[in-house]
């Protein structure tokens, strides 16, 4: 299949594809003296990607190309940034050497696809660069490729890279080289390496949290380390599948009630646009402890989980309700992800424990 990115498309191309296109155009300029306005590269599936080149410069035996990342219709923090690829042509046995420059992170923890101490350029983009550049090289030529992202260090602070132990910049990513719009695939795949890092550091029990609140109080209340805390966002089903696949033995579900109670209802993508029956679940469980239709009605039509918590406190059943919900979370997850030992702690916005099943 051919993807022509010279015209606006709902699809986009990855940072890896930017690096491939830039490296190809820079090497082509060194070899043949021609500045290309676009290049046609091939991904590992055999698809053709036609990617525009923003700028090419030459200095001696080096050439530098700039490619602007285009994420298409997908929401991507790297959309519109410059990926700069510098290529130096040397003598030697035919080869492509790939290095990380400014704004490309360095891996500092075990468990990722890239070894500790190396630039965060994933294997698939490396393979794409090699495959495409080798076509242009003679048997006695070596292309040394350096990839830089000028805004990489700044943008990396807004990603999971620091938690994963990738410091000083972004990662060069991509499997097919193509960004598919609004699929959440890229984001979910960026979450999964947290599990690899935890296992590489010999953590037997992982703590799955929805996000920042869970992370904050897991450190305070459980004295947890960064590497054993796994942020899943809304993608519980995906991350639990990954945990099972990777052989995780024990998981503590920990976090704010607003997300965790959805798991008791068998909802494993907890984004409110996908499913939101928090009040219905809370009303159902509360009805087991009180016979008060007006209170149940208030719970059912409350605007926030915090409002429900206040009602349950007034009725003196707060811990009863949330202990039972925590128990149901463990039961549901244990049935679906058999072989993993689950436990659950549910907290409020201030880190107070509402209920647990350990």
């Amino acid at each position: 299949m051919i993807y022509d990115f010279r015209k606006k498309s709902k699809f986009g191309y990855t940072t890896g594809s930017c690096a491939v296109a830039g490296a190809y155009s820079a090497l082509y300029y060194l070899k043949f003296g021609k500045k290309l306005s676009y290049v046609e590269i091939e991904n590992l599936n055999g698809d053709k990607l036609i990617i525009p080149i923003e700028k090419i410069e030459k200095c001696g035996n080096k050439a530098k190309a700039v490619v602007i990342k285009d994420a298409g219709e997908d929401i991507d923090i790297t959309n519109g940034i410059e990926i700069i690829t510098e290529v130096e042509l040397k003598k030697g046995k035919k080869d492509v050497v790939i290095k990380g420059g400014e704004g490309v992170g360095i891996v500092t923890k075990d468990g990722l696809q890239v070894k500790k101490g190396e630039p965060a350029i994933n294997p698939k983009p490396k393979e794409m660069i090699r495959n495409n550049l080798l076509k242009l090289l003679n048997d006695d030529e070596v292309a040394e490729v350096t990839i830089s992202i000028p805004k990489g260090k700044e943008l990396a602070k807004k990603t999971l890279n620091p938690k994963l132990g990738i410091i000083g910049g972004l990662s060069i990513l991509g499997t097919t080289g193509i960004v598919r719009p609004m699929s959440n695939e890229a984001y979910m795949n960026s979450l999964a390496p947290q599990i690899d890092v935890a296992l590489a550091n010999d953590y037997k029990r992982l703590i799955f949290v929805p996000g920042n609140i869970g992370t904050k109080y897991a450190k305070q209340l459980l004295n947890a380390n960064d590497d054993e805390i796994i942020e899943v966002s809304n993608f519980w089903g995906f991350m639990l599948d990954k945990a099972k696949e990777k052989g995780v033995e024990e998981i503590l579900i920990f976090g704010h009630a607003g997300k965790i109670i959805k798991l008791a209802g068998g909802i494993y993508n907890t984004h409110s646009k996908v499913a939101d029956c928090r009040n219905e679940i809370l009303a159902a469980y509360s009805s087991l402890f009180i016979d008060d239709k007006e209170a149940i009605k208030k719970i059912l039509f409350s605007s926030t989980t915090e409002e429900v918590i206040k009602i349950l406190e007034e009725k003196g059943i707060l811990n009863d309700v949330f202990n039972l919900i925590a128990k149901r979370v463990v039961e549901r997850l244990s049935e679906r992800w058999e072989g993993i030992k689950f436990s659950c702690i549910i907290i409020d916005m201030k880190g107070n424990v509402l209920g647990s099943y350990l």
Side-chain angles (χ1 to χ4, degrees):
M1 187 168 180
I2 297 175
Y3 295 86
D4 190 345
F5 296 109
R6 290 173 296 179
K7 50 193 177 184
K8 190 63 181 173
S9 170
K10 65 179 181 178
F11 296 102
Y13 44 90
T14 62
T15 51
S17 290
C18 291
V20 179
Y24 188 96
S25 64
L27 180 58
Y28 194 93
Y29 186 32
L30 287 175
K31 293 272 295 181
F32 307 112
K34 183 179 179 182
K35 292 185 178 182
L36 300 173
S37 60
Y38 66 90
V39 297
E40 181 181 292
I41 59 173
E42 188 174 319
N43 70 8
L44 300 179
N45 295 334
D47 297 321
K48 308 291 184 184
L49 282 63
I50 300 174
I51 296 177
I53 307 299
E54 183 73 9
K55 185 169 61 175
I56 303 176
E57 299 173 347
K58 187 177 178 183
C59 181
N61 62 339
K62 295 182 182 180
K64 183 165 62 176
V66 178
V67 176
I68 304 298
K69 167 69 186 294
D70 183 353
E73 293 179 3
D74 200 47
I75 299 169
D76 190 326
I77 195 172
T78 62
N79 186 53
I81 68 169
E82 290 186 346
I83 310 292
I84 299 175
T85 315
E86 185 179 79
V87 177
E88 182 176 1
L89 197 56
K90 297 181 175 181
K91 287 294 181 182
K93 186 179 179 182
K94 187 177 183 179
D95 197 10
V96 177
V97 178
I98 302 165
K99 299 179 177 182
E102 176 195 0
V104 173
I106 299 294
V107 175
T108 65
K109 294 180 181 179
D110 293 318
L112 300 176
Q113 294 182 55
V114 178
K115 291 181 181 178
K116 189 162 64 173
E118 293 186 359
I121 307 169
N122 277 10
K124 296 296 185 184
K126 277 187 176 180
E127 191 177 348
M128 275 182 67
I129 293 170
R130 284 186 57 82
N131 290 353
N132 283 274
L133 266 59
L134 285 172
K135 299 171 186 176
L136 297 178
L137 293 174
N138 296 329
D139 290 340
D140 61 347
E141 291 178 325
V142 176
E144 187 173 286
V145 178
T146 304
I147 305 165
S148 302
I149 309 173
K151 293 185 178 180
K153 189 172 183 179
E154 174 190 344
L155 288 174
K157 296 172 185 175
K158 301 176 182 179
T159 72
L160 278 172
N161 275 14
K163 185 178 187 304
L164 293 172
I166 300 170
I167 61 169
L170 293 169
S171 306
I172 301 297
L173 302 172
T175 303
T176 64
I178 299 161
V179 177
R180 300 182 186 279
M182 306 305 289
S183 65
N184 287 322
E185 182 182 357
Y187 183 60
M188 288 192 291
N189 287 331
S190 77
L191 297 171
Q194 295 176 93
I195 299 172
D196 298 316
V197 171
L199 294 177
N201 283 278
D202 293 324
Y203 287 106
K204 303 302 180 188
R205 184 197 70 170
L206 306 188
I207 303 169
F208 273 37
V209 303
N212 292 332
I213 294 172
T215 296
K216 176 182 176 180
Y217 290 113
K219 290 178 181 179
Q220 289 185 19
L221 302 180
L222 307 175
N223 199 28
N225 293 314
D226 277 328
D227 290 343
E228 65 182 313
I229 301 170
I230 310 298
E231 293 191 6
V232 306
S233 183
N234 290 301
F235 305 109
W236 293 88
F238 172 81
M239 290 297 282
L240 288 167
D241 283 344
K242 287 294 179 184
K244 175 78 174 177
E245 175 189 310
K246 295 173 186 293
V248 173
E249 297 174 5
E250 187 175 350
I251 295 174
L252 167 61
I253 305 298
F254 181 93
H256 183 258
K259 293 292 184 184
I260 304 302
I261 58 179
K262 293 185 184 182
L263 303 179
I267 297 165
Y268 303 123
N269 182 331
T270 55
H271 197 294
S272 58
K273 291 181 180 178
V274 175
D276 191 0
C277 59
R278 291 169 297 169
N279 290 8
E280 287 79 3
I281 292 170
L282 285 165
Y285 281 86
S286 300
S287 70
L288 299 175
F289 297 95
I290 55 171
D291 186 15
D292 184 339
K293 287 185 178 180
E294 282 305 310
I296 297 298
K297 187 176 179 180
K298 282 183 182 178
I299 290 168
L300 193 58
F301 293 102
S302 290
S303 299
T304 66
T305 304
E306 307 306 312
E307 283 183 33
V308 177
I309 290 170
K310 190 174 180 181
I311 295 168
L312 298 180
E313 264 184 319
E314 291 170 354
K315 291 292 181 181
I317 60 169
L318 179 65
N319 296 130
D320 293 324
V321 170
F322 278 101
N323 284 338
L324 190 56
I325 289 173
K327 181 175 184 287
R328 187 57 177 148
V329 169
V330 169
E331 288 172 349
R332 277 194 176 275
L333 300 190
S334 299
E335 288 168 7
R336 180 158 174 171
W337 288 278
E338 194 177 347
I340 299 176
K341 182 182 178 183
F342 288 99
S343 53
C344 180
I345 298 174
I346 304 172
I347 60 173
D348 66 12
M349 294 288 282
K350 295 180 180 178
N352 300 306
V353 175
L354 303 175
S356 64
Y357 189 79
L358 304 172

